[in-house]
Amino acid sequence: MIDVKGLRKTFGDQEILKGIDTHIEKGEKIVIIGPSGSGKSTFIRCLNLMEIPTAGTITFDGKDITHLNSKEINMVRQRMGMVFQHFNLFPHLTVKKNITLAPVMLGLMTKEEASAKADELLTRVGLPDKANDYPKQLSGGQKQRVAIARSLAMNPEVMLFDEPTSALDPEMVGEVLELMKQLARDGMTMVVVTHEMGFAREVASRVMFMADGNILEENTPDQFFMNPKNQRLKDFLSKVIYY
């Protein structure tokens, strides 16, 4: 579904991604872990062109999307939903309006269709009674669940999650991870940058370890956690997993 070849990204004279090659199949759940500053967020933001690659190619569903105009980029983003660390909800709009805004503005749905879709999604994410609330009235976990519903309103084929629980209080992490697990069970193709090792072990079809702008190791969760090959990965896991 997504094929990445020689992906590089520089900011000024700093090279963040140093030639990444990987692929993501339809229905896969890819979890990316690694130390801060390793390029994880930059990589996932390149996939839907929130960051434009400096070099290399990204092919999505058979089409090279690396050099598109802004209209074509927006078409790609409709098919690749993105959930951010800090929710990025519009504070002046109700929960329901946050969810219906994009599908209506882009002409994908009528107001009535978008409203019905929003009601369905709010039930799915466990917040049917919050439609008329504003983001400031919600907990962090509720905001993130609304943000996920907003992405799902576009009927994406892929969901990208950039550290979706790292801004949450610990007791709210579980409700967001549970929703993500449900999406995984429903067959959604997912790419998730996270520090949640339990989620990676339980949900991922493949776990990637990024450091210094490269993917240093990728494998099934069992092999990745129980039989790591790369020394940097061994050192990393020894610091983050408690047996």
Side-chain angles (χ1 to χ4, degrees):
M1 191 174 219
I2 302 172
D3 196 42
V4 180
K5 288 197 168 76
L7 180 63
R8 294 179 180 274
K9 179 63 182 179
T10 57
F11 294 99
D13 58 358
Q14 191 175 14
E15 190 172 36
I16 306 298
L17 302 179
K18 302 178 180 177
I20 286 179
D21 298 299
T22 192
H23 65 280
I24 297 156
E25 303 289 350
K26 185 176 176 64
E28 269 200 301
K29 326 295 179 235
I30 306 297
V31 176
I32 305 170
I33 67 170
S36 296
S38 59
K40 306 184 300 294
S41 289
T42 301
F43 170 63
I44 204 171
R45 290 168 70 89
C46 281
L47 292 181
N48 74 342
L49 305 174
M50 295 200 73
E51 298 289 354
I52 302 300
T54 305
T57 59
I58 300 169
T59 306
F60 176 45
D61 206 15
K63 181 180 180 181
D64 183 352
I65 63 170
T66 323
H67 307 288
L68 300 179
N69 61 40
S70 57
K71 185 176 180 183
E72 291 170 321
I73 286 174
N74 283 334
M75 295 290 286
V76 170
R77 289 186 190 146
Q78 288 176 31
R79 299 173 64 194
M80 246 192 258
M82 183 95 177
V83 176
F84 302 90
Q85 184 175 346
H86 293 290
F87 327 126
N88 291 18
L89 297 174
F90 294 111
H92 62 291
L93 298 179
T94 63
V95 163
K96 191 167 189 175
K97 194 74 174 170
N98 264 283
I99 295 170
T100 60
L101 183 67
V104 173
M105 276 185 63
L106 293 168
L108 301 176
M109 299 178 194
T110 65
K111 284 184 178 178
E112 292 74 21
E113 288 168 339
S115 177
K117 181 76 172 178
D119 290 339
E120 172 197 322
L121 287 169
L122 284 170
T123 298
R124 185 174 178 185
V125 302
L127 298 169
D129 56 335
K130 300 295 183 183
N132 297 315
D133 286 9
Y134 287 84
K136 68 181 181 184
Q137 297 170 273
L138 305 179
S139 70
Q142 290 171 334
K143 288 176 188 173
Q144 195 60 292
R145 285 187 280 157
V146 171
I148 293 171
R150 181 179 59 179
S151 282
L152 291 173
M154 303 294 289
N155 294 319
E157 296 158 53
V158 182
M159 286 284 282
L160 310 176
F161 295 87
D162 187 8
E163 299 196 20
T165 60
S166 60
L168 300 179
D169 292 333
E171 66 269 22
M172 293 174 186
V173 169
E175 65 190 57
V176 173
L177 291 181
E178 192 51 50
L179 175 56
M180 292 169 64
K181 289 174 190 175
Q182 184 60 56
L183 285 177
R185 288 191 290 268
D186 291 345
M188 177 65 75
T189 306
M190 298 165 67
V191 186
V192 183
V193 173
T194 187
H195 297 290
E196 299 291 337
M197 299 299 147
F199 177 83
R201 282 180 144 166
E202 183 179 342
V203 175
S205 46
R206 190 154 36 109
V207 187
M208 295 179 181
F209 175 67
M210 282 187 71
D212 305 321
N214 286 298
I215 297 172
L216 298 187
E217 187 162 338
E218 54 183 309
N219 215 326
T220 62
D222 281 354
Q223 287 298 310
F224 185 93
F225 288 108
M226 302 310 293
N227 191 27
K229 311 273 192 301
N230 182 276
Q231 189 58 48
R232 281 291 302 277
L233 175 56
K234 291 178 183 177
D235 294 343
F236 180 79
L237 291 177
S238 72
K239 294 183 177 80
V240 297
I241 294 182
Y242 302 93
Y243 293 102

